[in-house]
């Protein structure tokens, strides 16, 4: 018996030697720490267990129910680290961070926290149940979600489980609203909608299934379910999406919809086979969350005026650039809504159609039957359109047709994947489009990113100095000495952020830029020319929003660099 904790528990006659050997064998067999086995099996009263640990390792015990957890301490450790290592930072005094821990046998924990925070670490032991509850409360605010999941009785009929594993279940076998797995899926989806998540990730691992939500662009773990529930969970969601539950070897796509209160939610479902089973991602599309008005996108007044001018030019091509998830589709839809009128024939070709826009004819590509962006665009041109929206320019063929449409009297809106606005021009030329065609057809380019907004419920100001002061005030006539950030509260899940806003750069084509385009100049030269003509970079727009207290400097640097 090599464990100091087990030897001490035997010496104190809390357990006998046979029990100690059994616990040690289970820990070795399952590659688990002995303390985790003791806690999960409730082999020892937790109060007695923590007191024994305290004596063995000379670490004091903290009663978490009797203290006030400081938000400034919570924010020092990332959520994933705190949950994985079972540690709760509860107080911060100067350069000292006080943390509640569960396992003093984790010898690298203090060093790892020090590397993350740069602070001196003062550990205290916590009772497992108290630590678990507070970690759920302060990291993600999902305590009620976890409690509700735990109340679901997953002891389902073994014949059903066997049928699922054998991939023989018929759709109607799993549609009863009172089935435990149906309750679990409904609870996951309702919690995701309540949290404002854009995506739900259901990820198989060797010993469990991880549930993660993407909220304001950041993933956070919400729950871990037993590995034995994986097949039922995946099958239930496949049934919702009208997918083939018997096929697990190839990726699949599906769609579903549900009513949540007064909201209609569309769900795009994607599966991907992995070595531990099928990974699932559910994209939640809520039309109430999309801001159709250009005034709500977060454009600065000068950029909004410029964009309004560009979209009312009767013909030409206007591009929106940025990575996946940067809000390009939202911006395109807002422009279309601004232009939508009974006098205009507006048509789109998208992949997929994310939201229905009344009064606009929307088409979805289907490569399986040969209906591609290029094919769809050719068909649209025979439909007498005034305005065309192409979901994405992916290849030379689509780019050529789009530019030809722009030069023959149509306003064309589309997207490209580039890091900034000037790079869109060089990308088109690199695709093989003649520079004179780009120069003569391009109206402008909008580049954008999404940055998290400071939570209004816990927002506070702080004084800046040194390099940060110079960074924030460089090029501004009026200097500021204070910025804002969120302390972290229950409303924002202790993150200090709630919601997102765009940062933009709007490049309007002009004679100088056309000249650079014709000579195939670099994106850097194009950017310099655009800035001479009034373009503000995304970084500059982000700094403006940080100065206004909308977002933080850290967020601006994260998304724009």
């Amino acid at each position: 018996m090599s464990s100091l904790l087990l030897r001490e528990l035997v010496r104190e006659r809390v357990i006998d030697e046979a029990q100690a050997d059994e616990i040690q064998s289970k820990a070795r067999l399952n590659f688990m720490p002995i303390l985790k086995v003791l806690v999960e099996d409730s082999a020892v009263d937790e109060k007695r267990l923590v007191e024994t640990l305290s004596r063995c390792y000379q670490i004091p015990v903290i009663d978490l129910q009797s203290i006030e957890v400081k938000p400034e301490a919570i924010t020092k450790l990332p959520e994933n680290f705190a949950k994985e290592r079972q540690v709760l930072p509860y107080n911060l005094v100067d350069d000292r961070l006080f943390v509640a821990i569960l396992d003093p046998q984790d010898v690298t924990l203090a060093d790892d926290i020090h590397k993350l925070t740069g602070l001196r670490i003062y550990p205290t032991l916590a009772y497992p149940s108290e630590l678990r509850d507070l970690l759920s409360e302060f990291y993600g605010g999902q305590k009620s979600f976890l409690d509700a999941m735990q109340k679901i009785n997953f002891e389902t009929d073994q014949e059903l489980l066997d049928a699922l594993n054998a991939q023989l279940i018929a759709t109607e076998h799993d549609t009863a609203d009172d089935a435990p797995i149906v309750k679990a899926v409904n609870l996951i989806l309702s919690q995701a909608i309540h949290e404002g998540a854009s995506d739900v990730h259901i990820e198989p691992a060797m010993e469990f299934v991880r549930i993660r939500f993407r909220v304001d662009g950041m993933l956070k773990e919400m729950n871990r379910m037993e590995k034995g529930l994986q097949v039922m969970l995946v099958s239930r969601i496949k049934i919702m999406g009208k997918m083939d539950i018997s096929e697990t070897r190839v990726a699949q796509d599906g769609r579903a919809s549900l009513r949540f209160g007064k909201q209609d939610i569309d769900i795009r479902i994607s599966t991907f086979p992995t070595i531990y089973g099928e990974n699932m991602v559910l994209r939640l599309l809520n039309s109430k969350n999309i801001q159709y008005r250009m005034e709500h996108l977060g454009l600065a007044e000068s950029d909004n005026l410029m964009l309004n001018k560009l979209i009312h030019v009767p013909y030409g091509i206007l591009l929106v650039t940025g990575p996946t998830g940067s809000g390009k589709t939202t911006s395109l839809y807002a422009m279309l809504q601004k232009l939508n009128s009974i006098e205009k024939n507006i048509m789109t070709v998208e992949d997929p159609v994310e939201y229905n826009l009344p009064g606009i004819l929307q088409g979805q590509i289907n490569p399986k039957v040969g209906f591609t962006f290029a094919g769809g665009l050719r068909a649209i041109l025979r439909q007498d359109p005034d305005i065309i929206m192409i979901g994405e320019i992916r290849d030379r063929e689509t780019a050529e047709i789009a530019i030809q449409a722009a030069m023959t009297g149509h306003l064309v809106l589309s997207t490209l994947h580039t890091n900034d606005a000037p790079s869109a021009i060089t990308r088109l030329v690199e695709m093989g489009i003649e520079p004179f065609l780009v120069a003569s057809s391009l109206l402008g380019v909008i580049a954008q990113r999404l940055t998290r907004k400071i939570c209004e419920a816990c927002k506070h100001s702080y004084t800046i100095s040194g390099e940060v002061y110079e960074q924030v005030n460089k090029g501004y006539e009026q200097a500021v000495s204070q910025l804002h950030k969120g302390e972290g509260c229950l409303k924002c899940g202790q993150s200090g952020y709630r919601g997102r806003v765009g940062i933009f750069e709007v490049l309007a084509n002009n004679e100088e830029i056309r000249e650079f385009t014709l000579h195939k100049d670099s994106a850097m030269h194009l950017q310099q020319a655009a800035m001479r003509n009034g373009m503000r970079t995304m970084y500059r727009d982000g700094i403006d929003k940080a100065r206004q207290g909308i977002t933080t400097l850290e967020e601006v640097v994260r998304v724009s660099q």
Side-chain angles (χ1 to χ4, degrees):
M1 194 190 308
S2 59
S3 167
L4 173 61
L5 175 59
L6 287 179
R7 289 202 304 271
E8 189 65 19
L9 289 173
V10 170
R11 191 187 68 79
E12 294 177 355
R13 297 184 179 180
V14 177
I15 58 175
D16 57 33
E17 290 191 5
Q19 289 174 304
D21 290 340
E22 183 180 344
I23 291 166
Q24 189 159 277
S25 296
K26 183 174 181 179
R28 286 175 178 168
L29 183 63
N30 294 284
F31 302 99
M32 293 168 60
I34 285 173
L35 181 61
K36 187 175 182 180
V37 175
L38 287 166
V39 171
E40 289 188 355
D41 291 358
S42 300
V44 178
D45 175 74
E46 73 169 24
K47 187 173 185 297
R48 186 69 179 268
L49 180 62
V50 171
E51 289 173 352
T52 303
L53 280 169
S54 178
R55 285 194 299 274
C56 287
Y57 294 94
Q58 299 298 302
I59 298 176
V61 180
I62 183 75
D63 180 5
L64 292 177
Q65 292 182 339
S66 65
I67 64 168
E68 178 186 357
V69 178
K70 300 293 179 65
E72 60 268 26
I74 285 288
T75 58
K76 291 298 177 183
L77 286 182
E79 176 181 343
N80 289 345
F81 181 90
K83 287 182 175 180
E84 182 177 341
R85 303 295 286 275
Q86 293 288 284
V87 53
L88 178 77
Y90 61 86
N91 197 10
L92 179 64
V93 181
D94 298 326
D95 65 341
R96 294 172 293 168
L97 184 66
F98 294 83
V99 297
I101 67 172
L102 183 61
D103 188 1
Q105 299 169 102
D106 187 347
V107 294
T108 65
L109 179 60
D111 286 341
D112 291 343
I113 298 174
H114 176 71
K115 289 175 184 176
L116 278 172
T117 63
L119 301 169
R120 289 187 289 165
I121 309 305
Y122 288 79
T124 52
L125 284 174
Y127 296 109
S129 58
E130 292 180 5
L131 182 61
R132 183 174 58 247
D133 287 348
L134 284 181
L135 281 172
S136 296
E137 178 179 344
F138 284 99
Y139 287 102
Q142 69 270 33
K143 184 175 184 297
S144 60
F145 171 65
L146 294 175
D147 289 343
M149 288 293 286
Q150 289 169 0
K151 290 177 182 177
I152 296 175
N153 178 15
F154 288 109
E155 293 179 0
T156 48
D157 189 277
Q158 187 60 40
E159 289 184 5
L160 171 61
L161 183 57
D162 291 342
L164 281 163
N165 281 307
Q167 302 167 356
L168 297 174
I169 184 171
T171 300
E172 61 268 22
H173 289 178
D174 195 27
T175 56
D177 288 340
D178 57 352
I181 202 66
V182 175
K183 288 182 180 179
V185 171
N186 291 345
L187 181 59
I188 291 169
L189 291 174
S190 63
Q191 181 67 17
I193 295 165
H194 176 74
E195 295 266 341
S198 60
D199 301 87
V200 176
H201 291 242
I202 299 172
E203 303 165 340
M206 182 183 291
E207 298 178 344
F208 56 84
V209 180
R210 189 199 318 272
I211 310 294
R212 293 200 291 174
F213 293 170
R214 187 178 294 279
V215 180
D216 292 336
M218 308 295 284
L219 280 170
K220 64 176 182 178
E221 183 175 321
M222 298 299 294
N223 193 22
R224 293 185 180 186
M225 299 181 70
E226 294 177 11
K227 185 70 174 177
L229 301 173
Q230 178 178 321
V231 175
M232 288 190 291
L233 186 65
V234 169
S235 294
R236 170 58 188 164
I237 296 171
K238 280 186 173 181
I239 289 169
M240 290 174 59
K242 298 179 174 58
M243 302 157 73
D244 185 355
I245 64 171
S246 67
E247 181 57 78
T248 61
R249 299 163 298 174
V250 298
Q252 295 188 61
D253 294 308
R255 297 194 73 156
S257 60
L258 60 88
R259 184 85 172 169
F260 183 77
K262 295 182 179 180
Q263 305 174 61
D264 290 314
I265 309 295
D266 287 325
I267 307 171
R268 289 211 317 261
I269 305 167
S270 172
T271 70
F272 182 80
T274 76
I275 58 173
Y276 296 125
E278 290 180 277
N279 186 72
M280 303 195 86
V281 177
L282 286 68
R283 169 68 57 88
L284 307 181
L285 302 172
N286 180 0
S287 59
K288 292 203 170 200
N289 286 343
I290 189 168
Q291 300 292 343
Y292 288 127
R293 295 176 62 85
M294 284 174 54
E295 293 79 6
H296 296 159
L297 295 178
L299 287 156
E301 184 178 357
S302 59
D303 288 341
N304 193 43
L305 289 171
M306 177 59 71
L307 186 53
N308 265 291
K309 182 179 177 181
L310 292 174
I311 66 173
H312 283 96
V313 176
Y315 57 88
I317 185 166
L318 181 63
L319 297 173
V320 182
T321 76
T324 301
S326 59
K328 299 188 297 297
T329 300
T330 300
S331 294
L332 286 174
Y333 282 0
M335 293 178 214
L336 291 179
Q337 286 291 80
K338 184 79 171 181
L339 295 166
N340 194 10
S341 71
I342 197 67
E343 294 84 14
K344 299 289 185 182
N345 179 19
I346 303 177
M347 302 186 72
T348 77
V349 55
E350 307 173 51
D351 181 29
V353 174
E354 294 194 1
Y355 299 99
N356 296 324
L357 302 175
I360 294 174
L361 300 170
Q362 297 172 267
Q364 180 165 315
I365 72 166
N366 186 352
K368 292 180 180 178
V369 296
F371 189 61
T372 61
F373 277 119
L377 186 50
R378 286 195 189 94
I380 282 177
L381 291 174
R382 296 191 291 270
Q383 296 282 310
D384 185 33
D386 297 295
I387 299 167
I388 302 167
M389 192 271 268
I390 310 165
E392 183 183 345
I393 293 178
R394 296 178 179 174
D395 51 47
R396 177 178 176 176
E397 183 183 12
T398 306
E400 286 178 338
I401 301 170
I403 286 177
Q404 289 297 331
M407 295 182 69
T408 54
H410 304 90
L411 176 62
V412 180
L413 310 178
S414 190
T415 71
L416 267 181
H417 285 284
T418 62
N419 290 329
D420 53 32
S423 297
I425 298 174
T426 59
R427 176 66 57 84
L428 288 172
V429 174
E430 288 167 359
M431 280 182 172
I433 308 301
E434 291 293 339
F436 77 90
L437 292 175
V438 178
S440 58
S441 65
L442 186 68
L443 295 174
V445 185
I446 303 100
Q448 66 181 76
R449 299 287 189 279
L450 290 177
T451 179
R452 291 183 293 174
K453 295 167 64 177
I454 300 171
C455 174
E456 292 294 332
C458 59
K459 181 178 178 179
H460 74 284
S461 61
Y462 65 98
T463 303
I464 57 174
S465 60
E467 291 182 6
V468 174
Y469 184 90
E470 294 294 329
Q471 185 180 5
V472 169
N473 292 302
K474 184 178 180 180
Y476 290 88
E477 292 182 4
Q478 186 175 355
V480 297
S481 59
Q482 289 191 324
L483 293 179
H484 295 79
K485 64 181 179 180
E487 289 185 354
C489 63
L490 292 179
K491 284 190 175 181
C492 62
Q494 303 301 327
S495 69
Y497 299 98
R498 189 173 177 85
R500 290 191 289 178
V501 67
I503 60 173
F504 302 86
E505 60 186 35
V506 180
L507 180 154
N509 205 359
N510 58 37
E511 288 303 321
E512 186 179 7
I513 292 173
R514 290 189 187 98
E515 192 67 26
F516 279 134
T517 303
L518 289 170
H519 289 89
K520 298 185 180 181
D521 264 310
S522 67
M524 183 182 69
H525 289 152
L526 288 165
Q527 182 183 58
Q528 291 168 351
M531 291 174 67
R532 283 194 294 271
N533 287 277
M535 186 188 83
R536 298 157 62 255
T537 64
M538 280 185 290
Y539 178 71
R540 179 79 171 198
D541 189 36
I543 292 293
D544 281 351
K545 288 180 169 67
R547 287 165 60 93
Q548 295 165 23
I550 297 171
T551 187
T552 63
L553 183 61
E554 292 79 9
E555 270 295 288
V556 173
V557 172
R558 180 179 72 85
V559 303
S560 65
Q561 297 297 306

